[in-house]
Each structure stands twice: as structure tokens, then as C-alpha cells.
Amino acid sequence: MPGGRSRCRSLGPAVSESRARARARLMLALGAAQMALGCLIVAVSFAALALTTSARVRHSCPFWAGFSVLLSGLIGVVSWKRPISLVITFFMLLSAVCVMLNLAGSILSCQNAQMVISLEECQLYKFDSDGVCVCCEVQEQATGCSTFSETLKLNPVRECSTVRLTLKDLLFSICALNVISTIVCGLATAMCCMQMVTADILQMHRSRSVLLPQ
């Protein structure tokens, strides 16, 4: 029976190591997904920024969340290549921060996408060679936008209504990307916790196998 106990002790660490490798591959996939999502959030945010000069909408384009997710994904790839506890801990903390940033970005972009939908009446105002599209809510007893109504200023790169619809689609895309990124970063945070716990258990098994008689 000592031989059976020895085989069980040797089998335990082998199973733990295989599970650790599987989790490391999953962390690599999550890191790569974060990098892709971060690049998409940054690209779509800057595309939306190019369409409007309104401060409220520009502040709702969370390119800052995209850069954070991109950095977190890069650290995740590094943690797969060099799975030391310090890098894994940094990846876990940065992913947790990205969860909060993405939540904020999704709320802001969705709220302002709804605002863009409500501002249906758009007019083009010419200033020399330049111009600006001003959109507001439909006025029943007046033509144009009053000075007291909420307005949206767009760069007239195309027809005003087309630019408004494009901006609305971009803001909803930003919202969806931030929601997906929140899920991915949450999974990355959980996987880092599991990886650290697994590493501690594996270290305990190795210590016991050295101390206990064969």
C-alpha cells in the first residue's frame, strides 16, 4: 500500500499542474480578448469624437476605458508568458479596475445614444466655408432650435440626419463593447484569483511530497 499512496501523491501534483496549464491558456485567451476589445473601444470612440463638437457627447466616448483594457490585456499576455505572482496580481487588479471603467463607459455611452435619438430635428448652419449641424428635439410651434432647448452639434461630413444616425450607431456600439469588455475583465479577475489559489495549493503539494517519506 505504500506504493499506492506514493502514486496518489505523485498523481495529485500532476493533475494540479495540468489544470494550471489549462488556466494559463485561458488567461492568454482573456488577455488577447481584452487587447482586441480595447483597440475596438478606442477606435470607435475616436470615430464618434470626429463627428461631434458637443462636450457632453465627447465626454461619453470612453477611449480612456479602451486604453485601460488594452493595457490590461497586454499584462495578461505577459502573465501567460511569465506566470509569476507579481504579474498575475497586477493583471488581476488592472482587470478589476477595467470592470468599473467599462461599466461607467457603457452607462455614459448608452445614455447619450438615447439623447441623440431624441434630438431628431437637424439644421445646417453655414459659416463661411465651414458649417455645423445643430440638432434638437422637434418643436411643435416653432421652426429650428430655440436657445433654451438641448442641442447637439455635429460636424457636417455628410448630410446632417445621416451624421446623427451614424453617431447614434457608434455610441450604441461603444456601449455594447463596454458591456462585453466588463464580462471579459470580470472573468479575467476571477481566473487570476483561481490561478493564485492553484499556485498556492500546488506549492503545498510539492512541499508535502518532499517532507513525507516515499
Side-chain angles (χ1 to χ4, degrees):
M1 296 308 292
R5 285 195 298 268
S6 177
R7 284 193 297 270
C8 289
R9 284 197 298 268
S10 62
L11 183 61
V15 173
S16 299
E17 288 180 1
S18 64
R19 289 177 178 175
R21 285 193 295 269
R23 291 193 181 99
R25 287 193 294 269
L26 183 55
M27 286 177 62
L28 172 63
L30 290 172
Q34 284 184 349
M35 292 180 67
L37 286 167
C39 290
L40 286 173
I41 292 172
V42 171
V44 180
S45 294
F46 278 111
L49 286 172
L51 295 180
T52 181
T53 58
S54 295
R56 175 177 171 179
V57 180
R58 290 177 69 88
H59 292 160
S60 69
C61 297
F63 58 88
W64 31 267
F67 282 124
S68 300
V69 175
L70 180 59
L71 177 61
S72 178
L74 183 61
I75 299 299
V77 174
V78 172
S79 69
W80 167 77
K81 196 70 176 178
R82 297 178 178 273
I84 58 177
S85 60
L86 181 62
V87 178
I88 295 174
T89 302
F90 188 41
F91 181 43
M92 178 185 67
L93 293 176
L94 195 54
S95 295
V97 170
C98 288
V99 169
M100 294 182 286
L101 292 177
N102 286 133
L103 282 174
S106 62
I107 293 171
L108 287 173
S109 54
C110 281
Q111 284 180 343
N112 285 280
Q114 293 291 341
M115 182 200 72
V116 172
I117 290 176
S118 66
L119 306 179
E120 298 180 355
E121 184 174 340
C122 296
Q123 288 186 344
L124 176 62
Y125 294 89
K126 282 285 187 179
F127 303 102
D128 296 330
S129 60
D130 297 327
V132 61
C133 293
V134 179
C135 301
C136 61
E137 293 183 0
V138 177
Q139 307 290 323
E140 294 182 358
Q141 300 178 349
T143 58
C145 300
S146 68
T147 56
F148 301 102
S149 62
E150 187 172 27
T151 59
L152 171 68
K153 295 180 180 179
L154 302 172
N155 296 321
V157 292
R158 300 167 74 181
E159 186 180 342
C160 291
S161 59
T162 303
V163 176
R164 184 183 69 86
L165 292 175
T166 303
L167 179 61
K168 180 258 298 181
D169 292 338
L170 288 174
L171 289 173
F172 275 125
S173 298
I174 294 170
C175 179
L177 288 170
N178 274 276
V179 170
I180 297 172
S181 183
T182 300
I183 297 172
V184 172
C185 292
L187 288 173
T189 304
M191 283 304 304
C192 285
C193 292
M194 294 178 63
Q195 182 78 1
M196 294 173 68
V197 172
T198 302
D200 291 340
I201 294 174
L202 185 60
Q203 185 63 34
M204 290 175 57
H205 274 296
R206 286 174 176 170
S207 299
R208 289 181 60 186
S209 63
V210 170
L211 294 175
L212 291 177
Q214 299 295 324

